[in-house]
């Protein structure tokens, strides 16, 4: 049975992480309104967002799950489901 270990990340850092995730999701939603180039730019925004989260997790000696990262990246390719804020959802997971 797995033990629930306490996170090394403080509540203040979690609030900043969620704010960053919401910012990236809003930016991605605005950029996605551009027909073709918007989708390509949105994938780049996802890459920057996930790299930012990975870096902050590494700085706090935490692990950022590869399964969660891949799941969030795949959500961005599904037509209707990609309207969900995948950065925020993967961070909360």
């Amino acid at each position: 049975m797995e033990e629930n270990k306490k996170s090394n990340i403080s509540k203040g850092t979690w609030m900043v992480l969620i704010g960053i995730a919401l910012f990236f999701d809003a930016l991605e939603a605005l950029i996605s309104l551009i027909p073709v180039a918007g989708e390509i730019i949105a994938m780049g925004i996802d890459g920057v967002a996930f790299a930012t989260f990975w870096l902050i997790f590494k700085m706090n000696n935490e692990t950022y799950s590869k399964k969660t990262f891949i799941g969030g990246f795949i959500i961005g390719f599904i037509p209707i489901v990609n309207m969900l804020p995948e950065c925020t959802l993967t961070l909360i997971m």
Side-chain angles (χ1 to χ4, degrees), residues 54-84:
W54 176 82
L55 180 64
I56 292 172
F57 272 59
K58 281 293 183 188
M59 288 171 43
N60 288 291
N61 294 326
E62 289 287 333
T63 57
Y64 192 62
S65 173
K66 289 181 184 177
K67 292 178 187 177
T68 306
F69 169 73
I70 292 170
F73 199 70
I74 290 173
I75 286 174
F77 288 113
I78 301 172
I80 300 297
V81 181
N82 71 347
M83 288 188 264
L84 292 171

Side-chain angles (χ1 to χ4, degrees), residues 11 27-28 45 50 78 82:
K11 287 183 182 181
L27 182 63
E28 184 179 352
I45 291 171
F50 289 126
I78 301 172
N82 71 347

